[in-house]
Structures are given as C-alpha cells and as structure tokens.
Amino acid sequence: MRIGFAVPASGGWATPHNQVEVARRAEELGYHSVWTLQRLLNPADSADLTYRNVPDPLLTLAYLAGQTDRVRLGVAVVNMPFLSPVLLAKQAATLDRLSGGRLDLGLGLGWMPEEFAAVGAPMERRGARAEEFLTVLRTLWSDEVSRFDGEFYRLPPVRMEPKPVQTPGPPVLLGGASEPALRRAGRLAAGWVSSSRADLTAIGASIRVVREAAEQAGRDPDALRIVCRGAVRLREPGLPDRRPLTGSPEEVRGDMAELAAHGVTELFVDLNFDRDLTGPDADPARSMSVAREALEAFAPRG
C-alpha cells in the first residue's frame, strides 16, 4: 500500500510556509504523494469548524509543484458542480504540465447546500451531470478537436492546448459514498477516494461495490486505485472504543495494515480533521510539531 500525506489545508496552520515544509519533508522521506482538499465557504451560523481557513487546493498544488520534484500532487476532492468542465480541464492540464505530470485529480459531487446556492448550481441530478462532465474533460485532454452535445454541457468543435503531460490525462479519482457514486467510480474512473466521514470498519463493502462495477463494465478491477483519506488523530495508546486511525503511531500503523488487507491500495495521512490541530483554539506551532512527528512515524519503509 502506498502512503501519502496531506499538507496543512484547514485551520490556522494552513499557511504557505507550513505547506511547503510538509510537502518537502514528505518528499525527502519517500512518501508517494501529498494532498489538499476543497471547501469554498461555510455557513455563517454553523458551529462546525472542520473546514475553517481552507485555501484553494489547485493553486496550492501549483505552488507546491514548484517546491518539489518527485512527489505526486493530489486533491481530494474538487466538486464538479462548482466549476465548468472546460475551466477545470484547462486548470488541471496546466497544473499537470507545471508539475511534470504529477497530478492526481480527485473529483466529487459536493454536499453543502450553501455552497451550491453561492455558486448558482443545482443540487439535483448531480450524478448525471458528473458523467457528462467527465466526458468533456477527457475529450479536451485527449482529442485534437473536441466536440460534445449533451443534456447539460455542449462543446462546439474546439481545440484545447496545451494538453496534459499524462495521457490520456491526469488520473481521475471519484469520491462519494452512495452506491451510485461507488459504481460510477468503478465504471468511469481510475479509482475511488474515500471521505473523511467514511466508516473505515466497513470500507471493504464499499471497495467490493467499486470493483464489481468495474468488472461489469468490462474493466480490470485490479487496475483500480483505492485511495483512503486517513483522518489520523494521534492520541495516547489504549483508548477505550478506539476508532480506526486514532491512537498511538503503533496502533495507527496496525489500522493501516488492516485497511490494506481490505483492498486499499493507497492511504494518505490527513491531520486536517483533528480538531486539536485545526480548531480555533489550536496553536499552529504545536500542530506543526505533531505533523513532523507523524511524518516520521508513518514514512514508507523499505
């Protein structure tokens, strides 16, 4: 199982300096990838501060592309309803070229009504829109002349240049937890990426749905990437009723091995969902100290 690490992406510690430090150290330690996340905005009256102070993920990755040489650059996830497929195709192609072909593009459907209202996008029929969105991305990345005439999107004959470095384009990983979303990932994407809210004790069932959909579509399920967002919370060992990926480094490594046994092919350590590190009362200096500890503790071996 390949191991990645999320840069600071939410809360007071999500600064360019800290992001560069984590990305560079991850590359030095042999991590496969570094990751960001997307949150456009939050309801003003919400008590949920999980997504506070979140920078744009693609601009962040573009900056990190110039600060690193080898490590892959992932986002989990950009929500398709918030952008036109043409704009995202151009952004992703440019980022892939800036990074020398290192982009992994996670895409999702979104879930927060306030974000949909703010961007003027409907929440209805997100799945059907997503399938056309993916088709538009791929023709723009791959075809000399692109054209598409769908229910939601239309391309007259057009050319998009420059193309991405990776062919037929950056790998697309689809998020989502519902059965239609899981099956869509198996049918149409390079793989599936789990969310921070996923029940990791039941991830094997979700993976089976993704793999089954791929097989039914005539695809090789063993070629799919199954990426787990590892919402790690480092704590004292031996906690009662311990959740997966919460506890000491030794306990968390054991959980990682269990996830690999269930079919996870990649996992990235993500500390951005630990309120002790990202909440309004968190000390950014302490949060970075924990990140340095985690980088060393979970560095790939061998």
Side-chain angles (χ1 to χ4, degrees), residues 211-230:
R211 290 176 57 87
E212 178 185 81
E215 194 165 14
Q216 290 175 350
R219 308 179 72 204
D220 179 6
D222 293 333
L224 290 178
R225 296 167 58 184
I226 304 295
V227 183
C228 175
R229 181 192 291 278

Side-chain angles (χ1 to χ4, degrees), residues 9 28 75 204:
E28 290 170 0
V75 53

Side-chain angles (χ1 to χ4, degrees), residues 83-297:
L83 293 172
S84 81
V86 176
L87 176 60
L88 184 59
K90 174 65 78 171
Q91 291 177 324
T94 302
L95 179 48
D96 200 52
R97 293 177 67 84
L98 285 171
S99 65
R102 291 187 281 147
L103 176 62
D104 286 326
L105 184 62
L107 299 177
L109 299 183
W111 55 269
M112 185 183 288
E114 290 83 357
E115 284 186 315
F116 279 86
V119 300
M123 294 190 73
E124 297 77 16
R125 303 195 66 200
R126 285 170 288 169
R129 288 176 179 273
E131 300 210 9
E132 288 195 7
F133 192 108
L134 294 173
T135 300
V136 173
L137 284 183
R138 287 176 174 140
T139 182
L140 290 169
W141 287 338
S142 301
D143 298 335
E144 182 179 350
V145 175
S146 302
R147 55 175 61 82
F148 182 76
D149 192 6
E151 180 181 356
F152 307 105
Y153 301 106
R154 178 179 176 273
L155 284 180
V158 294
R159 300 178 189 269
M160 193 199 83
E161 296 172 330
K163 302 295 188 187
V165 172
Q166 298 179 92
T167 55
V172 170
L173 305 166
L174 292 182
S178 68
E179 182 166 343
L182 295 171
R183 300 191 72 83
R184 187 177 302 113
R187 288 189 294 109
L188 300 176
W192 173 64
V193 56
S194 68
S195 80
S196 62
R197 297 174 290 176
D199 178 2
L200 298 184
T201 65
I203 197 169
S206 296
I207 293 171
R208 285 192 292 274
V209 174
V210 175
R211 290 176 57 87
E212 178 185 81
E215 194 165 14
Q216 290 175 350
R219 308 179 72 204
D220 179 6
D222 293 333
L224 290 178
R225 296 167 58 184
I226 304 295
V227 183
C228 175
R229 181 192 291 278
V232 169
R233 296 170 176 85
L234 289 177
R235 300 291 188 270
E236 294 298 315
L239 292 175
D241 301 321
R242 188 179 67 84
R243 295 163 51 188
L245 302 181
T246 296
S248 69
E250 293 75 18
E251 289 171 325
V252 171
R253 281 197 295 268
D255 296 334
M256 290 179 176
E258 181 105 1
L259 290 166
H262 282 297
V264 172
T265 64
E266 303 172 41
L267 179 147
F268 64 94
V269 175
D270 194 343
L271 304 178
N272 288 291
F273 296 89
D274 184 347
R275 187 180 173 86
D276 288 356
L277 305 183
T278 65
D281 299 326
D283 176 7
R286 178 186 173 276
S287 300
M288 281 300 295
S289 178
V290 174
R292 295 182 191 107
E293 175 189 349
L295 278 163
E296 302 294 331

Side-chain angles (χ1 to χ4, degrees), residues 64-89:
L64 296 179
Q67 304 288 331
T68 55
D69 298 308
R70 176 200 57 81
V71 71
R72 290 195 65 82
L73 306 167
V75 53
V77 294
V78 170
N79 290 305
M80 291 178 276
F82 302 162
L83 293 172
S84 81
V86 176
L87 176 60
L88 184 59

